């Protein structure tokens, strides 16, 4: 088995190649590193079980693997590749790997796959721990530090009410008792739920469905859940105000009156008898002229007689 120094040197070289965008060379090194984990399991490369170990040596190479596939335009292949090293990657990968994986799926536009991965991860989370313990006395020099006895051994009670709250709900996020049980710390679980609700479900399905999904979980603290529900409610109200309300269409609406076509005589021609107004005006002008001429003759005749 390769020493920890050789393992870390290879990883650093893979990271350097990744920064230089030499993805094929970097990927070859990472895959070789992950194959070495065969020696840490029962001899099966696809049976690597670290119980989401926060100290597991697989975190760095697997995280880099996900980033390489995303940057090279192969984000949809991540799940298939991870199955070579995890029996159920959507349930088993460490928390750090999950965050990178989901964000790459979202950035690549694979929203439904991101939703499926997160829901599976949450349903398989049977234990929410206040913290993890670290064995400070362990000095084993290999790339797979031991997982805390608190995680591998006796576990604390499930942080959820008993009874109907613990049931299988493939469409929700309640605990799936038929799936293998894994653990997260309180902070990790809150981060996963925020990813699911705000990064995936909200933009994909809307605030109402995000609220229903959030309400189906009983592992979050009341304060945290209430805060998230308030944010979703504000988003729902904002979306409703931003959506224009279409004008109601009535099938019994009265038809608009037909406006007579203009005959070209001016704006008054559309009124009743409007088309005769020019003639009436001319007649009035003629009568006024006759009146003034007649009156002038009468005045002149009066002056002559005088």
């Amino acid at each position: 088995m390769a020493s920890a120094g050789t393992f870390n040197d290879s990883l650093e070289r893979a990271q350097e190649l990744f920064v230089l965008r030499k993805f094929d060379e970097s990927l070859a090194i990472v895959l070789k590193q992950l194959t070495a984990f065969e020696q840490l399991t029962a001899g099966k490369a696809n049976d690597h079980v670290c119980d989401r170990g926060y100290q597991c040596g697989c975190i760095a190479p697997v995280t880099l693997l996900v980033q390489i596939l995303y940057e090279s335009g192969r984000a949809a292949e991540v799940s298939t590749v991870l199955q070579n090293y995890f029996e159920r990657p959507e349930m088993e990968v460490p928390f750090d790997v999950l965050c990178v994986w989901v964000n790459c799926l979202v950035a690549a536009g694979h929203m439904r796959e991101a939703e499926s991965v997160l829901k599976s991860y949450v349903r398989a989370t049977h234990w929410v721990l206040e913290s993890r313990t670290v064995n400070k006395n362990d000095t084993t020099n290999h790339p797979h530090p031991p997982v805390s006895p608190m995680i591998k051994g006796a576990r604390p009670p499930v942080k959820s009410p008993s009874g109907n709250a613990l049931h299988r709900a493939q469409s929700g996020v309640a605990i799936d008792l038929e799936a293998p049980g894994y653990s997260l710390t309180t902070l990790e679980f809150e981060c996963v739920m925020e990813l699911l609700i705000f990064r995936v479900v909200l933009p994909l399905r809307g605030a109402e469905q995000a609220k229903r999904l959030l309400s189906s979980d009983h592992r979050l603290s009341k304060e945290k859940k209430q805060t998230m529900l308030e944010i979703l409610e504000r988003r729902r109200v904002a979306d409703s105000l931003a959506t224009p309300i279409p004008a109601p269409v009535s099938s019994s609406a009265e038809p608009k009156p037909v406006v007579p076509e203009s005959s070209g005589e001016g704006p008054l021609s559309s009124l009743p008898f409007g088309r005769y107004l020019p003639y009436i005006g001319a007649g009035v002008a003629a009568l006024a002229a006759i009146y003034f001429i007649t009156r002038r003759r009468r005045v002149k005749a009066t002056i002559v007689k005088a």
Side-chain angles (χ1 to χ4, degrees):
M1 182 176 65
S3 66
T6 304
F7 186 91
N8 293 331
D9 291 343
S10 298
L11 182 60
E12 290 179 3
R13 178 56 181 165
Q15 291 170 339
E16 292 174 359
L17 293 170
F18 174 76
V19 173
L20 295 174
R21 302 189 68 80
K22 297 182 179 180
F23 299 131
D24 291 338
E25 297 178 39
S26 180
L27 181 61
I29 296 175
V30 171
L31 293 178
K32 185 177 179 180
Q33 285 182 304
L34 291 174
T35 303
F37 277 97
E38 232 176 302
Q39 303 174 25
L40 303 175
T41 61
K44 299 178 181 179
N46 64 346
D47 194 28
H48 169 62
V49 179
C50 62
D51 196 21
R52 300 182 182 178
Y54 68 107
Q55 290 181 311
C56 183
C58 74
I59 294 177
V62 172
T63 301
L64 184 56
L65 170 65
V66 173
Q67 292 174 311
I68 292 171
L69 292 176
Y70 167 71
E71 290 293 341
S72 57
R74 300 163 59 187
E77 300 177 23
V78 172
S79 178
T80 302
V81 174
L82 289 181
Q83 288 175 5
N84 295 325
Y85 309 101
F86 299 90
E87 185 177 356
R88 294 170 293 270
E90 71 281 359
M91 298 181 185
E92 297 174 358
V93 296
F95 168 75
D96 294 340
V97 175
L98 176 82
C99 293
V100 175
W101 182 13
V102 169
N103 279 292
C104 286
L105 287 174
V106 172
H110 302 297
M111 300 292 287
R112 295 186 184 279
E113 184 179 356
E115 181 185 31
S116 176
V117 169
L118 283 170
K119 283 185 176 180
S120 297
Y121 203 81
V122 171
R123 287 196 296 265
T125 304
H126 291 194
W127 295 274
V128 179
L129 314 175
E130 293 299 328
S131 63
R132 299 183 190 272
T133 60
V134 180
N135 185 0
K136 297 181 180 180
N137 297 323
D138 181 74
T139 57
T140 305
N141 185 24
H142 69 68
H144 188 291
V147 181
S148 163
M150 179 179 180
I151 309 301
K152 280 292 186 184
R155 302 177 187 262
V158 175
K159 192 176 179 181
S160 174
S162 60
N164 295 331
L166 304 181
H167 65 280
R168 184 173 184 176
Q170 292 296 336
S171 61
V173 291
I175 294 175
D176 184 359
L177 293 180
E178 296 184 19
Y182 301 94
S183 63
L184 287 175
T185 65
T186 300
L187 182 59
E188 289 171 346
F189 186 75
E190 290 176 353
C191 290
V192 171
M193 289 299 294
E194 288 177 355
L195 266 177
L196 174 62
I197 297 299
F198 296 111
R199 191 91 166 107
V200 178
V201 178
L202 180 59
L204 183 63
R205 306 191 183 280
E208 281 296 336
Q209 190 154 343
K211 288 173 65 176
R212 288 196 294 269
L213 187 64
L214 179 60
S215 300
S216 69
D217 179 77
H218 300 277
R219 286 155 290 181
L220 285 171
S221 65
K222 292 182 179 179
E223 296 78 11
K224 183 65 177 180
K225 181 183 287 189
Q226 184 61 33
T227 300
M228 294 174 68
L229 288 172
E230 290 174 358
I231 295 174
L232 289 173
E233 178 60 19
R234 289 198 297 269
R235 176 63 181 270
R236 186 193 66 80
V237 173
D239 289 344
S240 64
L241 293 177
T243 305
I245 302 176
V249 178
S250 175
S251 58
S252 60
E254 296 182 0
K256 295 182 179 180
V258 178
V259 179
E261 295 184 2
S262 175
S263 58
E265 288 89 357
L268 296 178
S269 61
S270 61
L271 298 174
F273 305 104
R275 66 182 59 187
Y276 302 109
L277 286 178
Y279 305 103
I280 295 174
V284 171
L287 291 175
I290 295 173
Y291 170 76
F292 285 110
I293 292 173
T294 306
R295 186 171 182 277
R296 183 178 179 185
R297 288 178 178 177
R298 288 177 181 176
V299 171
K300 187 176 180 181
T302 302
I303 293 174
V304 171
K305 287 182 181 180

